[in-house]
Amino acid sequence: MSTKNTMRAISQDVLGGPEVLKEVEVERPAPGPSEVLVRVRAAGVNPTDWKHRATGLFLGRPPFVLGWDVSGVVEAVGIGVTVHAPGDEVFGMLPYPFGHGSHAEYVTAPARSFARKPAGIDHTEAGALPLVSLTAWQALVDTADVRPGQRVLIHAAAGGVGHVAVQIAKARGAYVIGTASAGKHEFLRKLGADELIDYRETDFTEAVRDVDVVLDTIGDDNTFKSLRVLREGGIVVSILPVGPEELYEEAARLGVRAARMLVEADHAGMRAVADLVDKGLLRPTIAGAFPLADAAEAHTLGETGRTVGKLVLLAD
């Protein structure tokens, strides 16, 4: 049991499969200047979590506590904080990648990593949104500047980032094309997708042309193939931040653009996301919600690649 000065968290001592995750008792953090301490109510689980668990990725060797999504209640504020006060319900993304640690009962982070939680959704839904919604917003809006009437292709459209990106693109007035297995097409139509491609049966490069923006959530050869479906001046935005430099050379040869991005903590972005939620234009689909102690089960399910929407850990 946690005490006043400790908290429960999900940690690991070695890299490996979901079985390396364990519940531990650690010191409860305190907010520094310009930081807030948030009592975590819910925290999303994302592919980056199981990649870090297995390989260390940006974080290196464990021990570490994973998790970047947060929805919860401000417990205390550090000096200089004016945008939040104790008792505020907030949601946001911890600075990626080195601000990790939301798979715990409490977390500290810069105050402007968070925005007020929309009143129309609960903590489970709010905890599912930050990383995927900021990824989609920064790709489609900040990078690609999606405008009304443009044709937007979203790969893996039923996934965590994908199903949020469909809604953001529709909110921007775009014509949305998504790739997904046939069993997920009805789900995506209900989110507003205009056209769907079963990637198991159809090569998307033969099914679609004259696209203004491609959101690539898959990487590797898929990014290169996506260049070929763009109209002149169009852009592929990959959320896989590293890859061959030849991508940019090929884009230039074809008269199109390519960008690789890494999601950033973003107060303005979170407020934009909250505004879409308040207007009824964005809502996450929850693929499963698990108690904090069952983090390994959530990782196991996520790694199947068959979930629709987001997985969430509940810290209460």
Side-chain angles (χ1 to χ4, degrees):
M1 294 289 294
S2 57
T3 69
K4 183 177 180 180
N5 298 315
T6 65
M7 67 176 183
R8 294 181 301 126
I10 301 300
S11 186
Q12 62 187 93
D13 294 322
V14 296
L15 302 175
E19 71 280 357
V20 305
L21 298 174
K22 61 182 181 179
E23 185 176 304
V24 298
E25 196 80 9
V26 297
E27 184 178 355
R28 184 187 300 188
S34 300
E35 290 186 334
V36 294
L37 172 69
V38 175
R39 170 69 166 95
V40 179
R41 298 287 301 278
V45 182
N46 298 285
T48 191
D49 291 298
W50 50 81
K51 290 176 183 176
H52 277 90
R53 184 209 71 224
T55 70
L57 200 56
F58 294 113
L59 304 184
R61 305 296 301 181
F64 45 64
V65 175
L66 296 172
W68 285 268
D69 284 331
V70 180
S71 182
V73 180
V74 175
E75 185 87 357
V77 301
I79 61 171
V81 173
T82 61
V83 293
H84 303 299
D88 287 349
E89 293 190 315
V90 297
F91 76 140
M93 190 190 84
L94 307 182
Y96 188 86
F98 302 115
H100 57 95
S102 69
H103 294 170
E105 290 184 299
Y106 292 87
V107 71
T108 56
R112 292 179 183 272
S113 298
F114 300 102
R116 292 291 184 96
K117 181 186 77 65
I121 58 174
D122 61 21
H123 283 290
T124 301
E125 292 174 300
L129 272 174
L131 189 148
V132 294
S133 61
L134 284 180
T135 299
W137 181 269
Q138 290 168 11
L140 296 176
V141 180
D142 294 344
T143 303
D145 189 25
V146 169
R147 297 184 298 279
Q150 288 191 318
R151 290 164 56 82
V152 176
L153 171 63
I154 298 170
H155 288 296
V161 171
H163 88 289
V164 170
V166 168
Q167 296 173 77
I168 289 175
K170 289 302 297 181
R172 301 284 290 185
Y175 178 92
V176 176
I177 307 160
T179 66
S181 59
K184 299 174 182 177
H185 285 192
E186 185 58 29
F187 164 71
L188 289 166
R189 289 189 186 97
K190 290 179 180 178
L191 294 184
D194 299 287
E195 186 177 333
L196 294 162
I197 299 167
D198 182 355
Y199 68 90
R200 293 176 176 172
E201 301 291 334
T202 305
D203 184 340
F204 74 90
T205 63
E206 298 175 358
V208 63
R209 288 284 186 277
D210 297 325
V211 172
D212 296 284
V213 177
V214 177
L215 176 58
D216 176 40
T217 63
I218 299 171
D220 298 325
D221 187 52
N222 198 74
T223 315
F224 283 84
K225 290 172 65 176
S226 295
L227 295 173
R228 304 204 296 269
V229 305
L230 291 171
R231 67 170 75 245
E232 185 177 357
I235 185 171
V236 169
V237 183
S238 173
I239 65 170
L240 287 302
V242 295
E245 289 298 308
E246 289 81 4
L247 176 69
Y248 305 108
E249 298 168 8
E250 180 68 3
R253 187 183 70 81
L254 294 172
V256 298
R257 296 173 292 151
R260 292 190 176 106
M261 62 161 280
L262 191 65
V263 66
E264 301 174 63
D266 179 1
H267 180 68
M270 286 309 306
R271 292 182 64 180
V273 167
D275 184 58
L276 290 178
V277 173
D278 286 335
K279 291 177 178 177
L281 299 174
L282 175 62
R283 194 149 196 168
T285 293
I286 305 302
F290 299 82
L292 189 64
D294 293 340
E297 185 178 346
H299 277 235
T300 299
L301 180 57
E303 286 186 290
T304 67
R306 300 190 183 98
T307 56
V308 174
K310 280 296 301 292
L311 298 166
V312 181
L313 297 180
L314 306 177
D316 279 348

